[in-house]
Structure formats: structure tokens, C-alpha cells
Amino acid sequence: MKLKLQFIFFLLLSFFLVKSQTIIQGVIKNEENKTLSYCAIGIKDTNVGAITDERGFYKISIPNEFQNENVIITAEGYLEQTFNFLELKENPNVILKFKTENIKEVFLTAKKLKEKTIGQKSRPIITFSKMFDKNVPTIEQGNIFEIYKKTKLNYFSFHIIPSSKFEQITLKLNIYSVKNSLPDRSILNENIIFKTSSTGWQIIDLLKYKLIFNNLDKIAITLQLVDYNPIDNEDFVFGISAKKSLSENLIFKYQSQSQWKKSEGTFLTNINVGYEKKGQTNFDYKIINEEPTENHIEKELISFYKGREAGIKTIYGRNTNGRYIKLDHAKIYYEEYGSGEPLILLEGNNGIISDFYNQIPYFTKQFKVIAIDTRAQGKSLDFAKNNYGYEKLADDLLQIIKELKLGKVNIVGWSDGGITGLIFNAKNHDLVNKLVTIGANTNPQGVKDELMQSIKQGYENSKDEKEKRRLNLMINYPNITIDDLKKIKNPVLILAGDDDDIKQEHTVQIAEMIDNAKLEIIENSTHNIPFEQPGILNKKILDFLKK
């Protein structure tokens, strides 16, 4: 009897909740009868809101208490429209009119613009994360940036927490003018949509949008999670990394017509800008709580962001033919391309398969290319909790080679991939034909002091266990000895950039300790040679492998 009464109560409660709100659904189009993606629908100063999907469809639930309020519909490049509840209920399909008056254009002189990266430029220093709710695509989160009097936006970069879990996410980027230290009005005339399948640093190319601003001392940039594809049998997780700071630089809004809120902290984001400096600039490094960095760091980060973004747009790393290999406490994801002699590509720390987007199609013409996501990186999963060294990654590689029955292989390893290649080669010389390392080191002392200090600081501040294990790998490993290197008898090509994160004298020593090694220093390169000098790099590797 008691259970029956509870069931009846549940039904009555459900009926009451359904009746206490009205659901309106429809499609939003423009005057040319084209559906409009990601339009915002909301009631002012409330949390009641919705957003159209990629097909222009929307669905909004309006509680009875707000049915005397107006519903406001906005979209970049279109006039805002207001409807009362009954109007929208009767005619839910909406047509938005184009703006007849756009933001005043700004013309910069033909003089070459200076470039600057404003924001968090160093390696991630994570103290907490701001999470996104997969069921609420109206939520916006972001930062406020101080800019120059005449500023052109080139790129926007942000950091996704490594513990995020998704197959792919779709984000909408919003840009606002700032009034009274809060976002004021949108200064975009079209949607900026970004899709990614990876975690860590991301870069959004803004050059094609020609975003040039005049006499704005501040802008606000926010992100919305408008769509996502989860990983099978995994809970969806997505958050943006942030660091603590005294300034209230974190901004948040539940939906388009809600009030903006601020909190202490700064997202790990930055903007790369071109600017024309006239008079005193408003830019002040104190806002981002860090000192100006050297040109080397700016050059390296910009090249990395550009390369990572270009790679993500390719099929590599998300090919439907990709497969998993089950190992002890791990599932390793890999992709195969081409035919012929096996060539294994090993990514760097926090790397993904698409980082080799310049190399895979080049070498596929003559080799069977196997690109691997290292455990806990890209699509590969790591179920272990303890710290591990590069020896574990070398053991993974051995199991993969045996599972795929590859026999003797060639290996190209970038950064941590090169370290893994050296260890694997020393232990399994009978399985290696030739080895190529790009920016590898044999111990932590081989890394430049500035970078190692940043890695250690990141480890101390991080609360993300997955991130801490990855950083610990670089802080305490590798420990490759001279005797280990002497065990390598096959041909080895040692590569590094002339402005690499690995000390050049350390790279030279590695080459000297391997009997059959060749050393190449690539000019005008940082640690990101596969991104910065793909043509030169690919030719040198191919010449070496085919010799």
C-alpha cells in the first residue's frame, strides 16, 4: 500500500511539473530562407534560455511564472527580435532580418603590424578547472583582455583539462565589447565555430574573420559548448583550465539574457594580435600575472598552436579505421596508412596522432605508417594510477609490435617519442632497422632550465592526477645511461632545432655516444620541427631511411 501511494504521488508530481511550464519549439531562419545555427533565445535576467542547433532548430521550456515576460532572440549579424510568450507560442518559426548597419570598419596603414601574444603563454599551470554542462549549451565562460587602441585578432588559444573525455566537441566563440568591467555587446557579425577531438592547448584561427578593432581598450572572449559526441561507455567530461589570481577575470553567463557574473582567477587562454601602436597602449602585463616572455617562447607557442590546429582539421587521429590494442591497464589507439616496410610514429608529451599531419601522407607513399597515441594521450586510455617512466612506454611499444606482427621496424619519435625510441632500441636492437629522434633528451638535465622550472611549477600547482603523472614523467625521467646508448648499433638520426627546448650540447652528446649516429640541427626551428620545417624534416628523414 505504501509503495502504491508513493507511485501515485510521483505521478502527480510529474504531472504538476509538466503543467507548470510550456515547451515551445521551432526553427529560426533568415530572409533568404536559410536556417540559422546557434541563435540565442532567452528571457532577460533569468536562467530561461536555449540555443538553436546546427539545423536552426530550438526547443525552450518556459515556466508559467515567466510567461508574461518577453522572449528575446539574437544572432551574430542579425537584428535582435523580441516576442511575447503568446506570439512565439502561436508562431514558433522565426525569421531574423540582416543588420543594415554594421560595426564601423577600421583600416590600418600598410605598415607591417607588430605582433604580441596577450594572456597565458607559458606551459599550463593548472590550479582548478571550470566545467561545462553538456545539457546546457547556453552557458558562456571566458576572460577579459586588455588590448591596444588598434588591434587585429589573429588567434585565440585555450587549454582543455587533460582529464576531459569526449569523442568530439563543438564550441562557439563569442567576442564582446566591455563596459563597467563586464561584457557589453557582441562585436561579431558571424558565428565562429570550432571543433576538436583533443585535450590540452587548442588554437582557433581568427584571421579569416578580419577582426580589427579601433579604440577598444578591452574585449571579452567566451566559449559555449553547443554540441558534443561522447566516447562509447564513458561519462562525458569537458572543462577549461584556469589558474588562481586575485583579479576577477573569470566571467560567466547562464544564457544570452542572463546577468554576467565574475569570479577570481584567470583561464589559461591567450590572444595573438597584430597592433599599430599610437600613443600609450592600455596593455599591462600585470593583468595576466606574469612577466613578458622571451621571443623564443612566443615563437614556439605560436608555431605549436598553428600546427596543432591544422592537424586537428585533418582525418589523422580520428580515422574510422583506427583500432585499439588492449594492454595491461591500458587501451592503446593506433592508425595504419600505406604499405611496405613498417614505420612507427611516436608523438611527444601531451601529443596526438594528428601532430604528424605533415608526415603521415608523405611517408605513406613508401612505408606502412603506424601512428600511435601514447597511453593516456589522444584516444588512448590508461587505467593505472601509479607514476610511470619511459620504460613503460617502451614496453607498450614492444607489445604493439608483437600484436601487429610487424617484425623489424623503423621508428620516428618526436620529443618524448624520441626518448621512448632510444629506450626501446637499446632493449630491443633486434627489432629496429633505423631510429630517428626529434628533440629527445636522455635525462631531465638536458632540458633548458626555463622550461624545466615551468614544468615543476605546473606539477606543484596541479590538482589533476592525470596531468601530474604526465608532468612527473618529464621531471624525473628519463634516466638513459651511456651504456644504454652504446647498446644501439643500428643507424640513428638525431635531429633538433637550433632554438630547441633541449640544450644543444646535450643533443650533440647523444649523437656522440651512439656508434652509428648522424646529427642534424635544423635551422630556424624550435622544438616544433614537424610543424615549422616539415619539408626539410621529411626529406632528411626519408634520405636517411632510404640510404
Side-chain angles (χ1 to χ4, degrees), residues 282-487:
N282 293 292
F283 181 66
D284 183 351
Y285 275 101
K286 292 181 181 178
I287 282 190
I288 56 175
N289 301 303
E290 65 181 13
E291 295 301 317
T293 56
E294 297 178 2
N295 289 335
H296 159 75
I297 293 179
E298 289 189 14
K299 175 184 175 183
E300 183 175 0
L301 286 175
I302 291 172
S303 74
F304 176 79
Y305 298 160
K306 289 180 179 178
R308 172 61 64 86
E309 169 63 12
I312 289 171
K313 292 178 180 178
T314 68
I315 193 174
Y316 307 119
R318 55 190 183 91
N319 194 321
T320 55
N321 294 323
R323 291 183 173 86
Y324 285 91
I325 293 178
K326 290 184 179 180
L327 306 179
D328 293 338
H329 305 296
K331 281 180 66 177
I332 304 300
Y333 178 78
Y334 72 97
E335 294 179 357
E336 287 188 9
Y337 298 91
S339 60
E341 195 175 317
L343 173 62
I344 294 177
L345 301 181
L346 299 176
E347 63 202 21
N349 196 292
N350 202 30
I352 52 178
I353 286 175
S354 60
D355 289 344
F356 285 115
Y357 77 98
N358 286 310
Q359 286 68 51
I360 294 174
Y362 183 85
F363 292 111
T364 296
K365 297 174 184 176
Q366 300 190 49
F367 295 91
K368 179 181 182 178
V369 175
I370 301 99
I372 300 172
D373 271 334
T374 304
R375 67 165 56 216
Q377 297 191 165
K379 288 188 175 182
S380 290
L381 305 174
D382 181 18
F383 307 115
K385 301 298 181 183
N386 298 329
N387 287 328
Y388 57 90
Y390 293 97
E391 286 77 11
K392 184 65 176 175
L393 303 183
D395 290 343
D396 289 348
L397 180 57
L398 177 60
Q399 292 184 61
I400 292 168
I401 290 173
K402 288 182 176 179
E403 179 73 20
L404 298 180
K405 300 178 181 179
L406 297 177
K408 211 165 187 178
V409 301
N410 299 292
I411 299 172
V412 174
W414 178 9
S415 192
D416 278 25
I419 296 170
T420 302
L422 288 170
I423 294 173
F424 179 85
N425 201 163
K427 287 184 173 182
N428 308 280
H429 51 83
D430 58 322
L431 291 177
V432 180
N433 181 26
K434 291 184 179 181
L435 169 67
V436 179
T437 69
I438 307 167
N441 57 294
T442 59
N443 57 65
Q445 290 70 44
V447 179
K448 287 182 177 178
D449 296 339
E450 180 185 27
L451 174 57
M452 183 54 67
Q453 182 180 358
S454 175
I455 294 170
K456 289 179 178 179
Q457 187 178 1
Y459 179 85
E460 291 171 1
N461 292 328
S462 178
K463 294 182 180 179
D464 187 299
E465 289 305 317
K466 181 179 175 181
E467 179 81 357
K468 293 189 74 168
R469 293 174 74 211
R470 186 178 67 78
L471 295 175
N472 179 73
L473 189 64
M474 293 185 283
I475 294 170
N476 294 308
Y477 303 95
N479 297 300
I480 302 173
T481 66
I482 294 175
D483 289 341
D484 293 329
L485 296 179
K486 288 296 184 183
K487 293 176 183 176

Side-chain angles (χ1 to χ4, degrees), residues 44-61:
K44 195 169 181 61
D45 298 335
T46 73
N47 287 343
V48 178
I51 189 169
T52 61
D53 62 16
E54 198 169 15
R55 301 163 300 161
F57 176 81
Y58 74 92
K59 181 179 179 180
I60 184 170
S61 299

Side-chain angles (χ1 to χ4, degrees), residues 119-132:
Q120 299 296 319
K121 301 188 289 287
S122 60
R123 295 268 194 299
I125 301 174
I126 307 169
T127 54
F128 64 97
S129 304
K130 298 292 284 184
M131 308 306 294
F132 282 76

Side-chain angles (χ1 to χ4, degrees), residues 459-523:
Y459 179 85
E460 291 171 1
N461 292 328
S462 178
K463 294 182 180 179
D464 187 299
E465 289 305 317
K466 181 179 175 181
E467 179 81 357
K468 293 189 74 168
R469 293 174 74 211
R470 186 178 67 78
L471 295 175
N472 179 73
L473 189 64
M474 293 185 283
I475 294 170
N476 294 308
Y477 303 95
N479 297 300
I480 302 173
T481 66
I482 294 175
D483 289 341
D484 293 329
L485 296 179
K486 288 296 184 183
K487 293 176 183 176
I488 301 175
K489 301 300 181 182
N490 52 270
V492 179
L493 176 60
I494 305 293
L495 295 164
D498 60 354
D499 196 15
D500 208 293
D501 286 332
I502 306 302
K503 299 172 184 175
Q504 193 166 117
E505 61 269 23
H506 185 82
T507 302
V508 173
Q509 288 173 0
I510 295 174
E512 290 176 346
M513 292 301 104
I514 299 175
D515 292 338
N516 198 7
K518 178 182 179 182
L519 174 66
E520 292 271 10
I521 302 298
I522 310 296
E523 295 183 356

